Amino acid sequence: LLDDIVLTHSLFLPTERFLQQLHQQYPGGLWGAKRVGTRVAHWEEGSGLRRKRAVLAVLLHFLETYKGLLQEEESAGKVIKELYLLIMKDPSLYHELEDEIIKLHQLVETVELKVADETPPPNKQVKPLFRHFRRIDSCLQTRVAFRGSDEIFCRVYMPDHSYVTIRSRLSASVQDILASVTEKLQYSEEQSARGDALILVTMASSGEKAVLQPSEECVFTTLGINSHLFACTRDTFDSLVPLPEEIQVVPGDTEIHRAEPEDVANHLTSFHWELFRCIHELEFVDYVFHGERGRRETANLELLLQRCSEVQHWVGTELLLCEGLGKRAHLLKKLIKIAAICKQNQDMLSFYAIVIGLNNAAISRLRLTWEKLPGKFKNLFRKFENLTDPCRNHKTYREVLAKMKPPLIPFVPLILKDLTFLHEGSKTLLDGLVNVEKLHCIAEKVRTVRKYRSRPLCLELEASPAQLQTKAYVRQLRVIDNQNLLFELSYKLEPGSQ
């Protein structure tokens, strides 16, 4: 029950208020003394120690669960520090629960709570988002969790496809991004006053574009695979077109033709484990329920979802850029083999993404390519299709997943689908009371994520030049995400296929 409440309290009680309530329940606390007055003394004599123990138990569990996320909430950090100091100065509790007090001290140090009036921390190292800059040194780094206060470099393009590079917080608002762009361009206030104010636009490779509102935040991790940010005036909005490299395709061999299937699969699993491990379990709750209680930090989850989509399009891109029929059939066989190894690695995210990519209409219509595939691999792919079949609420996949032991990488979009179903299927509050059954079901689903990551992933990957080349290739996939362009390529390869 305690874990259920800590994981889901944000749905019915914001973090700061939750902590204030906890503070009030501590006998002799600042708010507790104000609210109960003379009853404080009675608490000390009777139930006071039990209350203190209960508050300490909740606080310890809260800190263990939230950890780094609390760095982004200064107001919450202030309440925790007040409560922490109150507990540390309490001799009656210290002698009774010395181990718990020491654990509390260690947790508060680990969380490194920031408070607004304290000295600001030194400049952090700028973290790389994949796809924003295709640099070997950055893509080979082990992925670490992103927080809203982390700084990244990002390119913002102009209508003529020139660009400015800005350094920005990950959680920056559109207004903040435009301010940085304006400063870089030395855009004058006079121009803004004349109605030439800049707007920020997302542009996809398909030409689809949308204006972002000034108050929107965390836009970097919500961009599509080949989407870019453009700054322009409203007069030039209609003239925006995608970057040339997003709409021009040059067929040719890539690393996948040279690499062994085992190496590609293992590097896929390794990278996706890094991304999966970075997601805080509370991001699943915040991603699904943000409409109810305000957007929070879900950057790591959004990056993994983008990656899942990227792998799906990578499969189609590689096959459709392979012009020779025999070579293309060989590549199809290799991709099915990669999916099989990913499944063996218990990387169901990569497995699912590859199978979905091979089922893309632009690929499934390549009749001559599929006919050239050996019978053994045709049968294997049919089994994979049965495993990913959504019938009866993905029954086959769930049965296979239930037999796996950690570590494993699940198909994350299905977890979000389950959470959405739980959310929409029942109300959070019933007659003004918290629907504990709903919160328990949500917490149980989140706890499965905890279970999947309860043991470390151990894959033996060599550090040879060839392996590093494959690793860089896997982590910086170049993909076509424009379905119309994929169909064009498909019909050029096999015009007569039905």
Side-chain angles (χ1 to χ4, degrees), residues 324-335:
L325 177 59
K327 202 170 188 179
R328 193 162 60 251
H330 180 73
L331 179 56
L332 177 58
K333 174 183 167 182
K334 180 179 275 191
L335 287 165

Side-chain angles (χ1 to χ4, degrees), residues 179-194:
S180 298
V181 172
T182 300
E183 186 181 348
K184 281 262 186 176
L185 292 174
Q186 297 182 327
Y187 204 71
S188 68
E189 291 183 11
E190 184 183 343
Q191 287 172 295
S192 297
R194 289 203 312 262

Side-chain angles (χ1 to χ4, degrees), residues 410-448:
F411 183 55
V412 172
L414 191 54
I415 294 175
L416 297 175
K417 178 188 171 186
D418 291 343
L419 284 170
T420 303
F421 178 79
L422 287 170
H423 174 38
E424 295 178 351
S426 57
K427 294 181 178 179
T428 303
L429 298 174
L430 296 171
D431 299 326
L433 300 175
V434 174
N435 183 353
V436 177
E437 183 61 33
K438 173 179 178 177
L439 300 190
H440 175 67
C441 291
I442 292 164
E444 278 290 290
K445 182 57 66 175
V446 173
R447 276 191 285 270
T448 61

Side-chain angles (χ1 to χ4, degrees), residues 162-215:
S162 62
Y163 62 84
V164 293
T165 302
I166 63 168
R167 179 172 176 166
S168 170
R169 286 179 298 106
L170 192 65
S171 61
S173 67
V174 169
Q175 193 171 1
D176 294 336
I177 296 168
L178 284 174
S180 298
V181 172
T182 300
E183 186 181 348
K184 281 262 186 176
L185 292 174
Q186 297 182 327
Y187 204 71
S188 68
E189 291 183 11
E190 184 183 343
Q191 287 172 295
S192 297
R194 289 203 312 262
D196 294 337
L198 293 175
I199 57 174
L200 197 65
V201 178
T202 59
M203 167 73 76
S205 60
S206 61
E208 191 177 339
K209 51 196 172 187
V211 178
L212 297 171
Q213 297 306 309
S215 60

Side-chain angles (χ1 to χ4, degrees), residues 256 259-266 333-335 337-338 341:
I256 193 170
E260 291 296 321
E262 292 81 3
D263 295 337
V264 175
N266 288 340
K333 174 183 167 182
K334 180 179 275 191
L335 287 165
K337 194 179 286 188
I338 290 170
I341 298 166

